[in-house]
Amino acid sequence: MTRQPLRLAIIEAERILAAAGVASPRVDAELIAAHVLGVERGKLPLVPLVDPQVIDAIGQLVNRRAKRIPLQHLLGWASLGAVTVEVGAGVFVPRPETELLLEWGLGAVKDVENPLIVDLCTGSAALALAFAHERPDAAVHGVELDVNALAWARRNSDIRVEAGDRPIVLHKGDVADPTLLTDLDGRVDLLVCNPPYVPVATAVPPEVGEHDPFHAVFAGSDGLQVIKHVVACAARMLHVGGAFAMEHDDSQAESVPALLSTRRVLTDVEDHQDLAGRPRFVTARHS
Ligand SMILES: C[S@@+](CC[C@H](N)C(=O)[O-])C[C@H]1O[C@@H](n2cnc3c(N)ncnc32)[C@H](O)[C@@H]1O
């Protein structure tokens, strides 16, 4: 069996993925190759030649990715901050943009000892687990409505506990329920949320439309159906001085801050952009 240059396999994979409309064909091709070889992506140049079986395995994954199955479903994981979570069918894949929410939230509680942190709409629990990892002194709660997503969250939580992190508390709950976590009312230091926020008529790529759960992405005709309940939770659960951060659609740079401003207890309302300059998340303080 003749060993073959990995570099050529990656170039071919990139060509196939680009033709299929994949947004980042080179990165995806390299991550698939790294996954098959069991090495970090940055170490690929150290692997000049590979067996034909490796080329086959890369080709199979590339063909599935070309069908627009999310890369993270093929790899089985996604990362947020320093934490890696398992993902697949039935749970939203954490996105790089959410790093900004994590970063802002960590800054907001940096001087708070033993902070009480709530992550609403927790999905895979990536954000909750990233906070628990960075702040071992924190009590972190995650809330999720969907039982399939919650099963992923519980598995990820178990994995992080085995890795040495403090356990988080996961709740099956609906942010629209006015009795949700009422025992935490007026006690929370930081409430974060990456809710479903896409208006239903919005066109989305196949990775999202066919693989992320519908109710993880879409939220009514204006995308505000879940957000308005999250804002009510923030007004109720945060203590005076507590911090709130929530992602939103780039079409909601005015509507979401305006929604927060209707709550007299939420002050210092500020909208933030992502690295591409798109309006991405809103923050506020409880006064
Ligand atoms: C955009 S995903 C975010 C998941 C996770 N926070 C992340 O960033 O990867 C939104 C999540 O909210 C959940 N969700 C939708 N409506 C909800 C509701 N009314 N109450 C609680 N969770 C809800 C969905 O099931 C989904 O897991």
Side-chain angles (χ1 to χ4, degrees), residues 97-98 100-102 104-105 118-121 127 175 190-197 223-234 243-249 252 255-260 266 269-272 279-284:
E97 300 88 87
T98 306
L100 299 172
L101 212 60
L102 173 64
W104 189 91
V118 173
D119 174 31
L120 297 178
C121 302
L127 193 51
V175 297
L190 170 67
L191 189 144
V192 292
C193 183
N194 177 19
Y197 53 66
L224 298 176
Q225 200 174 64
V226 176
I227 279 183
K228 65 185 181 197
H229 296 297
V230 174
V231 173
C233 288
F244 176 42
M246 177 176 62
E247 270 189 56
H248 61 68
D249 190 63
Q252 296 161 341
S255 58
V256 167
L259 193 62
L260 268 66
L266 295 179
V269 176
E270 197 182 335
D271 206 57
H272 305 256
R280 181 55 54 214
F281 72 107
V282 69
T283 58

Side-chain angles (χ1 to χ4, degrees), residues 92 94 98 121-124 144-146 149 173-175 194-196 215-216 226:
F92 181 85
T98 306
C121 302
T122 198
S124 63
E144 172 58 48
L145 180 62
D146 181 79
D174 185 344
V175 297
N194 177 19
H215 50 268
V226 176

